[in-house]
Structure formats: C-alpha cells, structure tokens
Amino acid sequence: MIAAASENNALGKNNELVWHLPNDFKRFKNLTSGHHIIMGRKTFESFPKPLPNRTHIVISRQEDYNPEGCLVVSSMEKALEICPKDETSFIIGGGEIYKLGMPFSDKIELTVVHHNFEADAFFPEINIEEWEITSSEFQSKDEKHLFDYTYQTYSRK
Ligand SMILES: NC(=O)c1ccc[n+]([C@@H]2O[C@H](COP(=O)([O-])OP(=O)(O)OC[C@H]3O[C@@H](n4cnc5c(N)ncnc54)[C@H](OP(=O)(O)O)[C@@H]3O)[C@@H](O)[C@H]2O)c1
C-alpha cells in the first residue's frame, strides 16, 4: 500500500487531498510508475484523468460502472487476481480500500504529515504487533511544503 496520512490518520476531505506536498507526489509517481495500481471508485474519481503509465484497477459495487482508462472489479480479491504475481502492485486508497487491502499487503509506504487535519477519510490503524518500521526519513517543511513529513516504510513482521 502507498498512502499519505496526517498525525490523526486523515487522508482527505470532500474527495480531495487536504495538503500539497510536491516531493511526496514525485515519490508516489516514481514508486508506482509502470505498475498496477488498485483504488476505490471515489479515489479514481478524485483524479482529473487517469495517471499516466500505470494500469488502473478500480473497485466498485456498481455493475455498470465502466469509465475509460481502467479495469473495474467488484472486490479486492478480484483486483489482486489481475495483478502480475512477479512484480509489485500498489493499493493507492482511499480509506475504504486501504482497510480492505491491509490483510493482503506486505509493505506500507506511508508518508506521515506532521499536522492534524479535519477529514472524512482516514487511514486504518496499523497493528504494531504485525508491522514494523523498516525505514524512516524525516523531511523538513520549506517554501513548497507547508508541513514537516516523514517517509515511513512498514514491513510485515
Ligand atoms: N492521502 C492519500 O494518500 C490518499 C490516497 C487516496 C485517496 N485519498 C483520499 O481519500 C478519499 C477517498 O477515500 P474513501 O474512503 O472516501 O473512498 P475510496 O476508498 O477511494 O472508494 C470507496 C468506494 O470503493 C468501493 N468499495 C468500497 N468497498 C468495497 C467493497 N467491499 N466491494 C466493492 N466495492 C467497494 C465503493 O464504490 P461504489 O460506491 O462505486 O460502489 C466505495 O464507494 C478522498 O478524499 C481522497 O482524496 C487520499
């Protein structure tokens, strides 16, 4: 999974992100480009258009949902069946889909934004009995980044 969440686990509000961290966007692009990305219907609709150079798998309960530029499936299991077994695929959100994806994941690339935000979508609790932090890189705020943030990698124990 790959996500950015605040200290209070906020992911977004009104189907938008609530911060702008250009370097985190670049990291997301670098890590996910060329791979399959799994997302919920709401996250897909939060993009102005599909993200270049990635295979989009969108999870929805709507049988007639079929927007251009993506594969639509009705469950996380079906999404994972489509993903190539010999390379990394990414679950990219949002809150409902991270919750569904947690038991299937072996790594979480989590950007922790050091602030509290009002939100209506949240990252699920990470159970520290099952997960350990294997890398942590603090990034200071600057003129382009209003908040401090940390790139944390969690690996399944
Ligand atoms: N900070 C980050 O890293 C990050 C990443 C991604 C998204 N976001 C933010 O997160 C928010 C969106 O998250 P969200 O939790 O509201 O929505 P979401 O997880 O993106 O999508 C929810 C939709 O997924 C489908 N779905 C959920 N559970 C399902 C199941 N068991 N079986 C089949 N389909 C299922 C449903 O689609 P249908 O209604 O079509 O049935 C549901 O409405 C936005 O604010 C977005 O900007 C933040």
Side-chain angles (χ1 to χ4, degrees):
M1 304 211 278
I2 184 164
S6 67
E7 297 278 0
N8 61 321
N9 296 327
L11 290 169
K13 193 177 176 194
N14 299 328
N15 220 23
E16 288 181 348
L17 299 178
V18 285
W19 50 74
H20 180 62
L21 298 171
N23 284 345
D24 186 50
F25 269 134
K26 275 185 214 150
R27 183 170 187 267
F28 175 84
K29 188 179 170 195
N30 287 340
L31 286 171
T32 60
S33 283
H35 294 279
H36 284 57
I37 51 174
I38 298 171
M39 72 209 80
R41 191 263 307 165
K42 290 184 185 168
T43 293
F44 179 70
E45 290 185 354
S46 75
F47 303 149
K49 56 182 174 42
L51 307 174
N53 192 28
R54 277 150 277 194
T55 304
H56 292 53
I57 305 174
V58 177
I59 304 181
S60 170
R61 293 187 181 90
Q62 302 171 56
E63 284 175 13
D64 55 352
Y65 189 69
N66 199 14
E68 227 184 288
C70 65
L71 304 163
V72 180
V73 294
S74 59
S75 68
M76 178 60 70
E77 287 81 353
K78 286 186 178 147
L80 293 169
E81 272 169 27
I82 298 175
C83 294
K85 300 292 165 272
D86 52 351
E87 61 172 71
T88 304
S89 300
F90 290 88
I91 296 168
I92 66 156
E96 292 183 37
I97 291 318
Y98 289 132
K99 207 167 171 186
L100 283 184
M102 188 75 98
F104 298 98
S105 302
D106 53 12
K107 218 176 205 193
I108 305 171
E109 295 290 355
L110 183 67
T111 301
V112 179
V113 184
H114 297 297
H115 194 76
N116 289 314
F117 292 89
E118 244 189 73
D120 56 20
F122 294 89
F123 195 77
E125 182 127 353
I126 299 175
N127 181 350
I128 53 155
E129 291 185 357
E130 293 177 17
W131 295 89
E132 61 187 343
I133 296 176
T134 48
S135 160
S136 186
E137 277 176 60
F138 179 78
Q139 310 287 319
S140 288
K141 63 183 168 190
D142 59 26
E143 64 282 357
K144 289 189 182 147
H145 300 78
L146 284 185
F147 311 100
D148 292 335
Y149 54 104
T150 301
Y151 298 132
Q152 287 185 342
T153 304
Y154 283 83
S155 302
R156 199 174 272 287
K157 283 184 185 171

